Amino acid sequence: MELNICHLYPDILNLYGDRGNIITMKRRLEDRGIKVNIEECSIGQPLDISRYDIFFIGGGQDFEQEVLLRDLASGKGRGICSAVEDEKVFLAICGGYQMLGQYYKTWDGSQLDFIGAIDIHTIGAKERMIGNYMFRTAPESSGAVVVGFENHSGKTYLGDRVAPLGTVLKGYGNNGEDQTEGARYKNVFATYSHGSLLPKNPVLCDFILQTALVRKYGDAEPLAPLDDTLENNAHDYMEQRLQKG
Ligand code: GLN
């Protein structure tokens, strides 16, 4: 078996080590004898969506998101939308999550029209939502408790066709108002969680990888368990700290 991963805009959207998500996916697949190819696609480079099973988009500040608008409008945005509809797997973090939505109205009044691959929109608030946080993913997105770090001024609101990735246990999540965190649409997993996310959330990582294998190969065998002592220690330490705080 083999999975092909596309890292979109790695040189522009990469806050708080979001690239660690790619390293983790690669490592957890290779440890099970599954071959992984990783390619990068940034501004000015054509995107052939048929080559990939998983797309990763990291976070970025308002400025970086604005820089990408022209490149997205030149055809990449349409490609991303059709990959989403084709049930390819996406993992999108923070600025990358917002970018999959309809638009982002920044707190200082500019409107960034994004690609509308998922039915969400984001409104900037002057006060930033910052800190370690945790949420419980919905059963259809593994049911795991996820720990992470959020830092955003955008408040994201989900449209009718999009489910939250999970429910906030501590912190702000999508908007600090409705307890929702992230978004799940088809095989898109989107979240505000930097950290990076996957190294200390192995259950969610394997769920995403399994989703990609099932999409590609039909009935894929469950992934063999790995020794996750270190990963679980990191996860549980943060979960306990947040519970106390
Ligand atoms: N620019 C966005 C915001 O502040 C995203 C920030 C991020 O990716 N951390 O809302």
Side-chain angles (χ1 to χ4, degrees), residues 48-60:
D48 176 1
I49 57 161
S50 67
R51 294 169 63 86
Y52 307 108
D53 308 297
I54 300 177
F55 295 81
F56 175 73
I57 319 174

Side-chain angles (χ1 to χ4, degrees), residues 20-219:
N21 294 305
I22 296 264
I23 298 168
T24 303
M25 287 193 279
K26 180 174 187 310
R27 178 71 190 271
R28 295 184 73 82
L29 286 165
E30 287 177 346
D31 282 355
R32 276 110 168 192
I34 299 168
K35 192 167 183 296
V36 187
N37 304 303
I38 295 166
E39 289 181 3
E40 301 189 338
C41 182
S42 194
I43 290 185
Q45 297 171 321
L47 174 67
D48 176 1
I49 57 161
S50 67
R51 294 169 63 86
Y52 307 108
D53 308 297
I54 300 177
F55 295 81
F56 175 73
I57 319 174
Q61 298 174 38
D62 299 3
F63 173 75
E64 278 98 39
Q65 292 174 297
E66 198 167 349
V67 163
L68 295 177
L69 289 178
R70 198 174 334 152
D71 192 64
L72 287 166
S74 73
K76 222 173 253 157
R78 268 199 313 281
I80 293 170
C81 289
S82 50
V84 166
E85 287 305 309
D86 199 20
E87 301 187 357
K88 302 257 180 174
V89 170
F90 278 74
L91 174 61
I93 313 289
C94 199
Y97 165 26
Q98 296 171 350
M99 206 183 80
L100 292 179
Q102 311 282 4
Y103 61 85
Y104 174 26
K105 243 183 217 152
T106 64
W107 70 272
D108 56 355
S110 41
Q111 167 140 348
L112 312 183
D113 286 318
F114 288 143
I115 62 175
I118 61 175
D119 183 17
I120 60 143
H121 67 275
T122 302
I123 311 282
K126 202 156 184 194
E127 211 175 301
R128 298 190 70 81
M129 289 157 273
I130 307 180
N132 294 313
Y133 78 131
M134 66 176 170
F135 58 97
R136 183 180 294 282
T137 55
E140 62 274 18
S141 297
S142 84
V145 170
V146 168
V147 292
F149 171 75
E150 60 182 328
N151 182 356
H152 50 111
S153 89
K155 294 183 166 193
T156 295
Y157 300 92
L158 308 181
D160 294 339
R161 289 176 296 126
V162 176
L165 183 64
T167 305
V168 175
L169 299 169
K170 277 278 152 83
Y172 299 94
N174 278 336
N175 48 51
E177 295 161 13
D178 60 15
Q179 299 291 109
T180 65
E181 157 56 21
R184 178 77 198 270
Y185 173 71
K186 295 188 186 269
N187 288 333
V188 175
F189 298 80
T191 174
Y192 270 108
S193 191
H194 297 284
S196 45
L197 168 71
L198 296 181
K200 57 186 180 304
N201 292 291
V203 176
L204 179 63
C205 184
D206 283 358
F207 189 90
I208 291 170
L209 297 176
Q210 183 78 23
T211 303
L213 288 168
V214 169
R215 185 199 170 276
K216 186 167 190 179
Y217 294 107
D219 260 350

